Amino acid sequence: MIVDKIKTYLTSKSKTFNQVILDDAYIRFKNSVMRQFMVNRDFKSGNIYTTLVTKPCARQSAYKYHGFEEEELPARTIFNFFIGDIVEMTVLMLAELAGVKITLNNEYLHVNREGEAVVCKPDGLFFDGKEYYNVEIKKMSDYTFNDFEKGILDDGWGYPAQYEMECEAWRQAKKPVEKTIFIGVKGLTGEFKEVIFKSDPKKLDSIFERIKKVKNSTKDVLPDRFYKPEIETYYKKKTGNLKLGIFCSYCSFKDRCWPDFKLDFTKNKYPIYRKLNSCKVEK
């Protein structure tokens, strides 16, 4: 629907110059550079917004909500955020060059429910002449993209909850959106694909239940940890160590939850957070 038209444009011999599209792309690029590299990240505690509560771990959300100090982000992570911005703005620019009109990029919307007004900023809105679609664009790892091609999105990164909140925000903004066009881009190879996911408003129940857990928590009484450490194996043999799974490893509060796990590297030089000589999974 969108990706096919982009691919057709990229492989055609009739590309066009458009100053307006170029200017829009420059503005998005400049804003991303400023946000990622030129200002300090400043999160105000006590706020509820969509990406705070779309991941399944309510404790991670509560840490942010209550203003706990986060670990310093590694340079590679900050750079990776910027690459994600580049992927989004490139897809939006190519779509427009291909004649696909994705409107209202990063429009401030709200999901109003149970006394909460949760801020939501979708990547865009697309109208195919018959119905409206929410648009979400993500850079993905090989593993995530391979599942995505099969129509699978892992809840761990919060993607399904995010697009569900976005669809509801559009509906509350008087746009009858029942589907999301999710565009995934494989970071290493540049492959890209779209998958259409149908909205299921019942999924909002678990999101707002998580919001209740966060708001009812305190700095001293936090929600339970969602994940547990995993038994480390090497070629299917136990090493005697425990390790943090991928979602805990990327969490900026892992040292608070799991202070005994330290950064190490696998024999293949991949970073890993281990607790040596302990196969007992802690509660």
Side-chain angles (χ1 to χ4, degrees):
M1 189 174 292
I2 294 175
V3 165
D4 285 348
K5 290 181 180 179
I6 290 175
K7 289 181 177 180
T8 298
Y9 173 79
L10 287 174
T11 56
S12 74
K13 297 184 181 297
S14 56
K15 296 182 177 66
T16 58
F17 176 81
N18 188 307
Q19 187 66 52
V20 173
I21 295 175
L22 189 62
D23 290 343
D24 286 344
Y26 167 73
I27 291 170
R28 290 192 184 106
F29 178 82
K30 182 179 73 171
N31 289 339
S32 177
V33 169
M34 291 173 62
R35 184 177 67 257
Q36 301 291 2
F37 304 138
M38 296 183 177
V39 296
N40 293 323
R41 293 176 178 270
D42 184 23
F43 171 75
K44 294 181 180 179
S45 61
N47 290 334
I48 295 289
Y49 54 92
T50 293
T51 53
L52 178 74
V53 293
T54 49
K55 293 180 182 179
C57 184
R59 176 174 285 204
Q60 182 189 48
S61 304
Y63 279 135
K64 283 193 173 186
Y65 180 78
H66 292 299
F68 281 81
E69 185 176 356
E70 299 186 52
E71 300 168 21
E72 289 292 333
L73 290 175
R76 64 183 178 84
T77 300
I78 297 171
F79 188 56
N80 220 15
F81 286 159
F82 179 65
I83 294 173
D85 286 351
I86 292 292
V87 165
E88 178 186 327
M89 67 182 73
T90 300
V91 170
L92 291 171
M93 176 187 65
L94 289 174
E96 196 161 4
L97 284 169
V100 178
K101 193 69 174 177
I102 299 174
T103 61
L104 301 175
N105 169 243
N106 285 331
E107 183 81 358
Y108 269 92
L109 303 174
H110 293 85
V111 176
N112 294 284
R113 175 169 161 167
E114 299 176 19
E116 296 290 341
V118 184
V119 174
C120 198
K121 293 172 62 181
D123 288 342
L125 183 72
F126 172 66
F127 183 63
D128 70 349
K130 295 181 180 178
E131 59 183 317
Y132 286 97
Y133 294 84
N134 176 53
V135 177
E136 189 58 43
I137 304 162
K138 296 292 184 187
K139 179 182 77 69
M140 297 177 174
S141 67
D142 283 9
Y143 175 82
T144 303
F145 187 86
N146 291 341
D147 279 347
F148 172 70
E149 284 190 300
K150 302 170 189 174
I152 301 169
L153 277 178
D154 196 317
D155 285 333
W157 298 118
Y159 296 161
Q162 183 178 346
Y163 74 66
E164 198 60 61
M165 287 287 281
E166 290 169 351
C167 286
E168 178 63 19
W170 287 123
R171 288 192 288 265
Q172 293 189 15
K174 309 303 181 185
K175 299 292 185 183
V177 175
E178 298 299 333
K179 297 174 185 174
T180 292
I181 300 177
F182 207 108
I183 299 174
V185 181
K186 188 188 285 192
L188 285 177
T189 64
E191 295 175 69
F192 57 110
K193 180 181 176 65
E194 70 184 31
V195 177
I196 296 177
F197 294 98
K198 189 173 181 179
S199 173
D200 180 3
K202 291 181 180 178
K203 293 180 180 177
L204 296 171
D205 294 344
S206 62
I207 299 169
F208 278 85
E209 185 61 35
R210 189 154 53 245
I211 290 174
K212 285 181 183 177
K213 288 181 181 180
V214 172
K215 295 198 73 173
N216 290 336
S217 68
T218 67
K219 280 192 170 185
D220 297 320
V221 183
L222 295 164
D224 293 337
R225 291 174 292 199
F226 187 80
Y227 299 104
K228 293 182 178 181
E230 303 170 1
I231 295 174
E232 182 187 20
T233 59
Y234 186 70
Y235 285 101
K236 299 183 179 181
K237 293 183 179 180
K238 296 179 181 179
T239 64
N241 304 324
L242 289 174
K243 68 173 185 176
L244 295 184
I246 187 170
F247 301 117
C248 286
S249 295
Y250 275 89
C251 177
S252 54
F253 300 102
K254 56 186 169 288
D255 285 347
R256 294 185 179 276
C257 278
W258 309 107
D260 294 334
F261 286 73
K262 306 300 179 185
L263 177 63
D264 202 350
F265 292 89
T266 66
K267 292 181 180 180
N268 295 324
K269 306 302 181 184
Y270 289 107
I272 187 173
Y273 288 86
R274 284 189 174 115
K275 183 178 181 181
L276 298 176
N277 304 317
S278 176
C279 276
K280 183 180 179 181
V281 177
E282 298 182 12
K283 295 182 180 179

